[in-house]
Amino acid sequence: MQSILDPAILFFVFGLLAGALRSNLEIPPQIARFLSLYLLMALGLKGGFALHQSGLTSAVSVSLGCAVALAVLVPWLGYKLLSRRLNGYDAAAIAATYGSVSAVTFITSVQYLDSRHLPYGGHMAAAMALMESPAIIMAVLLANLVRQKEQKAAGQAATRNTPLSHILHESMTDGAQLLLLGAMVIGIVTGESGHHAMQPFAGDLFKGMLSFFLLDMGLQAARNMGELRGKSPWLLAYGLVGPLAHACLALALCWVLGVSEGDAALLMVLAASASYIAVPAVVRHAIPEANPSLYIGMSLGLTFPFNILLGIPLYVNVAHRVLG
């Protein structure tokens, strides 16, 4: 209950209610884009300042290794399961969506840990960046294989598939991801002096900016819930059970490798989150055969609200009980 009473979460709930009531309240897209970039920049700076203090230790390397492993395991397992119920294109698109990460969910979880004075590594922002692209690349490769099989079965000449080099370039040079990494490097270079200089920007304003952005996300989530009408109950169950299973996979990996409680909680959040911006933007171009109402509706209309309202405190509490 305490997490629901957080002002940022209450603004998200308010956005959900306003969207459900079909209010004309909206945040202009340019402002929403600015808020998103601000949050990533502030997160990158915070991570960089923390990394300047801690340095690249063995614990940091283990956490980053876990992030990469999860970025490969989650979409692969998701595709294996989803392809039993869906065509290969939809299975690949949804697996990519749930195999990648939600920056806003991660930022909200960082704020949750900060408000409760629970320690975590600044390098976890780098872990989020590392988990962004593998699922996209895997989905495109899987979709290309499905496309080739269909053309072979139909006796057609193989058409040109989406070039992997194009996907790699688009994933690695995405503006939001570059801003996050660039801000982190600046934080590492400037260290304590940079931390003091940027505190009013990256620290004092952070909570208010996050609240404003979550208001917009509540509005968007409410409006995307309509995409779920008429969809298979099995898919709706996956939108809730899938993240929980992914979080458990992350917890097991962290337990085996001895990852700290705070880092493990954030890895659980990352594994449980689903992308609704970066992956859909690439998938719409690379896998046009997939149905956007499935992967966008499920991630933004179902999984995102679940994680913001219930998932984050659940993952943090479970990590504390198991690893604390």
Side-chain angles (χ1 to χ4, degrees), residues 36-37 39-40 43 100-111 125 128-129 132 174 176-177 180 206 210 213-214 217 269-270 273-278 304 308 312:
S36 174
L37 293 176
L39 291 171
L40 288 170
L43 178 65
S100 190
V101 295
S102 163
V104 179
T105 306
F106 178 77
I107 292 169
T108 306
S109 64
V110 166
Q111 179 62 38
M128 183 186 75
E132 183 83 49
D174 176 69
Q177 186 161 319
L180 172 69
F206 189 84
L210 177 61
F213 190 69
L214 284 178
M217 292 311 304
V269 169
L270 287 170
S273 67
S275 175
Y276 52 85
I277 298 177
F304 180 74
I308 294 295
I312 291 173

Side-chain angles (χ1 to χ4, degrees), residues 7-45:
I9 303 302
L10 285 175
F11 270 107
F12 177 75
V13 174
F14 172 66
L16 283 175
L17 293 174
L21 293 172
R22 299 182 181 179
S23 167
N24 62 357
L25 174 65
E26 65 176 344
I27 309 299
Q30 297 87 344
I31 294 179
R33 176 65 175 168
F34 164 75
L35 292 170
S36 174
L37 293 176
Y38 163 81
L39 291 171
L40 288 170
M41 182 176 176
L43 178 65
L45 285 170

Side-chain angles (χ1 to χ4, degrees), residues 110-121:
V110 166
Q111 179 62 38
Y112 182 87
L113 291 176
D114 284 341
S115 66
R116 282 151 184 80
H117 308 290
L118 299 175
Y120 59 90

Side-chain angles (χ1 to χ4, degrees), residues 78 101 120 122 133 139 174 190 214 226 235 238-239 248 273 276 293 318 320 324:
V101 295
Y120 59 90
S133 302
D174 176 69
T190 57
L214 284 178
L235 277 179
Y238 180 84
C248 289
S273 67
Y276 52 85
S293 68
V318 171
H320 174 69

